[in-house]
Amino acid sequence: MNSLRIDVDNIVFSYGVAPLLRQVSFSVEAGELFAVLGPSGSGKTTLLRVIAGLAQPSSGCIRTGGAAVDTALSPGRNVGMVFQSLSLWPHMTVFENVAFGITGPSSERETEQRVTNLLDMLDIADTRDARPDCLSGGQRQRVALARALVSEPRLLLLDDPFANVEHELRVQMRHDLRVVQRRLGITTILVTHDLEDALSIADRVAVVVHGVIEQIGSPASIYDFPSSPAVARFVGVENFIPGVVAHVENQTVEFSSPDIGKLRWSVARDRPAEGPSLLSIRPHALHIHPVDTFRDGRYSWFEGEIVTSEFLGEVVRYQVAVGGILVSVKQLHFLGTPPTPSGTPVLVGFDPTHARVFPG
Amino acid sequence: MQNKRTGFGTPELLFALSVGILLVVVAFPMLLIFFNAFWVDGHFNVADVVKVLQRKETYQALLNSLFLSGGVTVTGTIVGTFFAWLVTRTDLPFKKTMKLLFLVPFMLPAFIGALAWKMLLSPRAGYINRFFMDVLGFDNPIFDIYTYAGIILVETMYLFPFVFIQVSGALERMDPTLEESARISGADLFTITRKITIPLVLPSILSGALLIMLYSMAHFGTVAVLGVETGIYNIPVLIYEKIHQSAGSFDSIRTATVLATVLVITAALIMWTQNRVLAKGKYQIIAGKSFRPTELKLRGLRIPLFAFCVLYIAFTIILPTATIFLVGGLKTYGLPFDMENLTWANYHHILFEWDLTRDSIWNSITLGLASALITMFAGVIVSYVIVKMKVKGKGILEFLGMLPFSVPGSVIALGVILAWSGKFGISIYNTVWIILVAYIARYMAFSLKANSAALEQVHDSLVEAARASGATMAQALKDVVIPLVRPGMVAAFFLIFLPALRELTVSVLLYGPTTRTIGVAIYTLNEDGETVYSAALAGIALIIIVVGEVLIKRLVTSKNGA
């Protein structure tokens, strides 16, 4: 299977008044697994449907292998797609479902051969004469994948295929998908609302919010350096503290907040702009200490009082009242240490280089 | 539900009451039919039954029933499926309005439609035929409605919504990605329709088709109105003739019971087939979150097909309805529709002066109200036992309750005659009470369906919570269960009241000199040649029915909205 580069260029899609997609552009390299991550209603499924040719964009174009393609669906498009509901035909057997996906002329023997090979590869050969409603969730998933792959498409589109699957099976299935995708080297676009799905198997991730691509990058860069509060929220940042940024001296930034006071730290590059800002920090980057702890100068410190503490097993999650706001803190749980009770005054410290500042 | 007392408490009382209601109202009359058909001179006798079936009139009725209902099923299924596809899957203009209009025939009684078509297309007197012969100079009528084809045509107009509703529902609920995944695979529209869409909605098509067949098989009015001139009759019509015109002789009663038995067996076969179809074809094709299915662009055919739909509605709904009202206003039947020939006098006469028609309206309304109320309450009790109580033998209740759903009206009427004409100490023949009993038996299944559905939503723990708070069983029922199933009861009431208003098949077998219902009055006036009064009364019936339907829709939607 030769893989294909795909360019999505300035796609706009309107339905009714508000546009669902606004000038969406990105490129997927040949053989890459590209994830489009976004909350429900962000337009990510519509984007996939436009790429598949199931929906007509208001403007913009799709290029595969450098050549522009008609955005209408045509038999020559050669796209494989797995739908969120899987959409297996309930009146056909597994074999018939998969064989239906073969486009173009194919002799009976050839069909037989291709379907059998695929079922073997996906480890579902023993289900070939069963109907979809007799299969387990994982098997149905594989049948849908087999049907999408049988025509040897040069582009594979996956619409949240793990959405309705329990966690353990989900982990297994996305691993299997990654293995098959690598083996076939097929360019793949995966749409998902699940952060873990995207981070764990994608080569690159695009975050879509309200029909706009907010950020594209490697999973780790998206996680570590979200480009906007919207992306930050989506990748699990919970604390957004309002304040004002000022530049003091060379390479030193000062953030003053009516709630947590003044913080200073030094930055080599990417200095945040001056003015009103939001300081964002993950719950697990914050640490709780007794109030009389020695304040290490490399850290920033503020005082607060624990409002609630929830023991979650691996971690304890605290809500700490600081000034007029609540801050979430997650602490690793250590054997035999009970959670600090609510009402306790505490000192909260963090490494300011782990914080991100957004203009607010 | 826990009940540790061994005595006779509320549950036992409810159970006994349910069994009693169903035995007396449903089981007893039905058993009498089989008993009369097979029990002759003190012993079981099949040979006589065969003899009755071999009579020409009997097997002719059977053949006619099969032929007519078969024909209506085929045409109704084609028409219903086509329109369903048109309003769900194409870019036909005004689809939503069209969809509502295609459901209107369901409101209109078929036998009133048959009357209208008789006035329009009877070979000599029909207005359309006369227009073609007198004005356009045709030698022969262009269509004779007094034929098998005519009867099939008229029944199709009123029964196709059975298929239309089922198929448009299935097409709308179907997950569009089932078809899209076939498109992705490169299949063209024709292949997708043939290999994906049709197989997936086939159970809905078949199920609607079987409903048409069930209904048409048991349908009295259209065949009685249109077949009488040329001697076309089906089983319900023959049962009617046997009961009414043979003065209740033993032989005619026996023939009727044998015919009724045949009808019951056929209906049971149809129901059985339908259950099989539904069980086998129960695909999970319903979408969760999804996109609207792709609409087929009709392009050049868009306007012609739209015009076709408008014409169809004009021809099958507006034309017959207008005819009924116009004929009802004529001074004498057969006059042209000129202003000088039209009068309000007929309407005035039947509403305010003529006892026969006034009684019939009063009878239908009181019978409808009484049967709806009684059946609604009885239905709650019986469904409560079926759905909520863990007692032995409730399967029997369920079977008995649903039985009348598949038993044709003429069979129920016959059973009621056998049971309550004095043979067993109670004689209510020729009174309104016998019609009431028959209505209750006929509509019990409607009430059970609506109430069971409502009761299934009421979780057992709600009653248990009331009991835990110290309420007695009766209090829990009154304060918790009844308020929650009230919407189901209201639905049941109207599901019964409206059809009862226009009922003909049952009441035509049971009416006495002063107990005509609206349906019976329209039918007998027409039989007696009082075409104009018959049409005027039909017009008034249409107004009552349509106003009733609209009021109820309003009432139900505003209640749901609150």
Side-chain angles (χ1 to χ4, degrees):
Chain A
M1 249 175 254
N2 50 349
S3 48
L4 203 63
R5 174 194 161 90
I6 173 159
D7 300 286
V8 173
D9 197 0
N10 265 318
I11 293 288
V12 175
F13 184 91
S14 300
Y15 184 79
V17 202
L20 284 173
L21 297 173
R22 308 163 201 234
Q23 312 230 303
V24 170
S25 297
F26 59 88
S27 298
V28 183
E29 298 301 327
E32 192 180 20
L33 201 168
F34 187 86
V36 177
L37 175 68
S40 57
S42 58
K44 55 191 193 308
T45 297
T46 307
L47 174 62
L48 202 67
R49 290 168 57 81
V50 168
I51 297 170
L54 289 170
Q56 285 276 15
S58 316
S59 65
C61 76
I62 311 274
R63 287 192 301 274
T64 52
V69 290
D70 186 3
T71 41
L73 186 65
S74 59
R77 190 90 179 242
N78 206 1
V79 169
M81 184 160 173
V82 177
F83 291 84
Q84 184 177 346
S85 57
L86 301 186
S87 300
L88 298 178
W89 298 302
H91 60 299
M92 297 184 188
T93 63
V94 166
F95 181 88
E96 288 164 339
N97 262 285
V98 176
F100 194 97
I102 294 179
T103 44
S106 166
S107 74
E108 214 165 291
R109 219 168 52 100
E110 206 181 298
T111 304
E112 173 78 33
Q113 191 61 49
R114 277 165 71 177
V115 175
T116 309
N117 285 346
L118 212 47
L119 294 183
D120 279 340
M121 182 176 91
L122 292 168
D123 206 19
I124 41 171
D126 52 337
T127 66
R128 64 172 278 152
D129 296 320
R131 305 238 166 177
D133 51 352
C134 305
L135 304 182
S136 72
Q139 287 170 327
R140 290 162 55 84
Q141 196 86 45
R142 285 152 195 264
V143 176
L145 188 59
R147 186 177 67 186
L149 290 173
V150 75
S151 62
E152 301 182 352
R154 309 216 289 171
L155 175 62
L156 179 63
L157 305 175
L158 307 167
D159 181 7
D160 225 341
F162 314 124
N164 305 314
V165 181
E166 47 157 313
H167 187 258
E168 217 167 301
L169 187 57
R170 193 180 180 112
V171 172
Q172 177 64 42
M173 277 178 349
R174 68 187 179 214
H175 170 79
D176 292 351
L177 171 72
R178 185 54 163 158
V179 170
V180 169
Q181 190 264 344
R182 282 259 166 79
R183 194 157 135 198
L184 300 175
I186 182 171
T187 313
T188 302
I189 301 179
L190 165 73
V191 153
T192 179
H193 69 280
D194 186 275
L195 179 65
E196 208 180 289
D197 280 352
L199 298 185
S200 59
I201 59 171
D203 294 310
R204 281 189 307 145
V205 178
V207 181
V208 185
V209 180
H210 295 309
V212 177
I213 293 210
E214 293 270 345
Q215 190 174 3
I216 299 180
S218 71
S221 69
I222 298 259
Y223 188 81
D224 289 342
F225 307 108
S227 64
S228 67
V231 177
R233 262 189 202 97
F234 200 69
V235 296
V237 179
E238 288 176 38
N239 299 314
F240 294 90
I241 301 161
V244 177
V245 166
H247 293 169
V248 283
E249 301 167 17
N250 199 18
Q251 296 192 335
T252 300
V253 170
E254 184 183 79
F255 178 81
S256 35
S257 145
D259 300 304
I260 64 171
K262 279 189 176 157
L263 313 175
R264 278 186 181 205
W265 67 96
S266 57
V267 275
R269 52 196 170 89
D270 295 338
R271 284 210 303 181
E274 291 193 292
S277 304
L278 283 176
L279 178 94
S280 75
I281 184 133
R282 287 181 188 280
H284 71 238
L286 296 169
H287 306 280
I288 282 180
H289 302 272
V291 275
D292 51 3
T293 310
F294 167 70
R295 299 186 183 196
D296 186 335
R298 287 169 302 171
Y299 279 52
S300 296
W301 302 93
F302 55 87
E303 285 173 25
E305 186 185 299
I306 291 177
V307 179
T308 60
S309 68
E310 292 171 69
F311 178 63
L312 302 176
E314 206 171 323
V315 294
V316 184
R317 181 195 168 90
Y318 298 101
Q319 294 281 344
V320 180
V322 184
I325 58 170
L326 285 177
V327 174
S328 288
V329 181
K330 275 185 190 165
Q331 298 275 270
L332 270 178
H333 169 65
F334 293 103
L335 183 73
T337 324
T340 314
S342 44
T344 316
V346 288
L347 195 58
V348 181
F350 67 99
D351 181 347
T353 56
H354 288 178
R356 302 267 302 158
V357 177
F358 301 109
Chain B
M1 224 145 300
Q2 213 71 28
N3 199 306
K4 295 224 167 78
R5 287 167 302 164
T6 45
F8 201 80
T10 316
E12 289 78 11
L13 185 71
L14 286 181
F15 184 67
L17 203 61
S18 312
V19 174
I21 293 169
L22 291 181
L23 276 182
V24 172
V25 174
V26 179
F28 182 52
M30 294 291 301
L31 281 175
L32 281 178
I33 288 183
F34 299 129
F35 182 78
N36 273 278
F38 290 98
W39 196 265
V40 185
D41 299 333
H43 49 83
F44 189 68
N45 187 332
V46 180
D48 266 24
V49 174
V50 175
K51 233 181 257 168
V52 173
L53 287 174
Q54 280 170 338
R55 280 190 213 148
K56 188 168 181 314
E57 61 168 6
T58 325
Y59 75 72
Q60 187 61 48
L62 183 60
L63 282 182
N64 284 346
S65 272
L66 286 175
F67 180 73
L68 288 172
S69 62
V72 175
T73 306
V74 171
T75 52
T77 304
I78 293 170
V79 173
T81 309
F82 175 69
F83 284 137
W85 172 78
L86 216 52
V87 300
T88 53
R89 287 306 174 86
T90 69
D91 60 347
L92 189 79
F94 303 108
K95 282 196 299 191
K96 278 197 182 136
T97 317
M98 285 292 164
K99 198 180 158 199
L100 285 179
L101 286 173
F102 282 128
L103 294 176
V104 171
F106 242 7
M107 269 203 292
L108 309 174
F111 76 94
I112 293 185
L115 273 181
W117 286 105
K118 176 188 152 180
M119 294 162 191
L120 289 166
L121 281 174
S122 78
R124 282 171 307 280
Y127 282 99
I128 294 179
N129 279 330
R130 272 180 30 207
F131 175 77
F132 273 88
M133 291 190 290
D134 301 349
V135 181
L136 300 180
F138 279 53
D139 291 334
N140 293 307
I142 57 158
F143 189 80
D144 181 357
I145 202 77
Y146 294 150
T147 54
Y148 288 100
I151 293 170
I152 289 175
L153 209 66
V154 172
E155 281 193 26
T156 300
M157 287 177 201
Y158 295 92
L159 299 187
F160 85 88
F162 277 118
V163 167
F164 178 81
I165 289 175
Q166 298 264 341
V167 177
S168 58
L171 284 173
E172 269 168 6
R173 289 193 311 269
M174 192 170 144
D175 183 349
T177 62
L178 286 166
E179 287 161 304
E180 283 176 352
S181 42
R183 274 178 70 202
I184 292 265
S185 302
D188 56 46
L189 186 69
F190 178 69
T191 313
I192 296 172
T193 307
R194 195 168 49 92
K195 288 193 158 174
I196 310 289
T197 317
I198 291 184
L200 288 179
V201 296
L202 196 60
S204 303
I205 297 178
L206 286 178
S207 143
L210 286 166
L211 280 177
I212 293 187
M213 187 170 229
L214 186 66
Y215 191 95
S216 171
M217 197 84 184
H219 182 57
F220 169 80
T222 307
V223 186
V225 170
L226 297 177
V228 65
E229 297 269 336
T230 43
I232 300 172
Y233 54 89
N234 64 359
I235 296 178
V237 172
L238 190 58
I239 292 180
Y240 167 75
E241 281 173 5
K242 287 289 160 200
I243 295 300
H244 253 255
Q245 286 151 17
S246 320
S249 74
F250 177 73
D251 180 65
S252 59
I253 293 268
R254 248 184 74 72
T255 311
T257 56
V258 171
L259 285 169
T261 308
V262 172
L263 214 46
V264 169
I265 293 170
T266 327
L269 271 176
I270 294 175
M271 288 298 274
W272 179 78
T273 316
Q274 196 189 22
N275 282 339
R276 289 281 309 254
V277 167
L278 287 180
K280 198 172 160 236
K282 229 181 190 172
Y283 299 133
Q284 288 296 321
I285 56 170
I286 293 161
K289 153 208 163 186
S290 75
F291 297 83
R292 295 189 316 169
T294 327
E295 284 180 353
L296 178 76
K297 301 264 180 290
L298 294 170
R299 297 175 205 281
L301 282 174
R302 189 162 179 255
I303 298 305
L305 279 172
F306 176 65
F308 175 74
C309 290
V310 171
L311 275 177
Y312 180 88
I313 285 160
F315 192 70
T316 61
I317 299 173
I318 299 171
L319 179 64
T321 310
T323 307
I324 289 288
F325 281 105
L326 286 173
V327 170
L330 279 178
K331 287 177 180 154
T332 311
Y333 182 55
L335 291 176
F337 297 128
D338 292 335
M339 278 317 284
E340 60 191 51
N341 296 331
L342 290 170
T343 166
W344 290 107
N346 302 332
Y347 290 102
H348 188 265
H349 182 61
I350 59 167
L351 275 178
F352 301 109
E353 291 164 9
W354 199 3
D355 284 346
L356 185 147
T357 48
R358 280 171 52 195
D359 284 354
S360 75
I361 296 172
W362 175 247
N363 286 337
S364 275
I365 291 176
T366 47
L367 276 169
L369 281 174
S371 58
L373 276 174
I374 295 171
T375 316
M376 173 180 83
F377 283 115
V380 178
I381 297 173
V382 178
S383 348
Y384 186 81
V385 175
I386 293 173
V387 176
K388 290 294 174 197
M389 284 170 56
K390 293 161 186 71
V391 282
K392 275 182 194 162
K394 67 176 185 176
I396 280 279
L397 280 184
E398 203 161 5
F399 172 76
L400 283 178
M402 285 304 167
L403 194 61
F405 193 70
S406 58
V407 174
S410 30
V411 176
I412 289 176
L414 187 61
V416 170
I417 292 175
L418 294 173
W420 312 119
S421 299
K423 225 175 170 181
F424 302 94
I426 298 173
S427 177
I428 49 175
Y429 191 60
N430 268 357
T431 68
V432 284
W433 302 108
I434 198 162
I435 304 181
L436 181 64
V437 173
Y439 278 11
I440 293 170
R442 180 163 204 204
Y443 295 123
M444 185 60 84
F446 290 22
S447 176
L448 289 187
K449 278 206 163 170
N451 281 308
S452 304
L455 272 166
E456 262 154 28
Q457 308 294 317
V458 182
H459 199 269
D460 286 351
S461 62
L462 296 178
V463 174
E464 282 158 8
R467 302 276 280 142
S469 315
T472 63
M473 191 64 206
Q475 274 175 325
L477 284 180
K478 181 172 83 61
D479 294 333
V480 176
V481 178
I482 298 284
L484 287 172
V485 296
R486 200 171 286 143
M489 292 171 67
V490 173
F493 179 86
F494 290 119
L495 275 175
I496 295 159
F497 180 62
L498 286 173
L501 274 185
R502 51 189 253 198
E503 212 290 326
L504 174 65
T505 312
V506 169
S507 28
V508 82
L509 283 169
L510 299 175
Y511 77 93
T514 60
T515 61
R516 285 180 171 85
T517 59
I518 296 181
V520 170
I522 296 169
Y523 176 72
T524 51
L525 285 174
N526 172 62
E527 288 290 276
D528 299 342
E530 299 279 7
T531 311
V532 166
Y533 287 124
S534 169
L537 185 58
I540 285 165
L542 287 181
I543 291 175
I544 296 176
I545 291 164
V546 172
V547 169
E549 291 267 358
V550 171
L551 279 182
I552 283 146
K553 284 255 164 66
R554 281 270 168 85
L555 199 75
V556 172
T557 36
S558 70
K559 265 200 178 157
N560 288 348

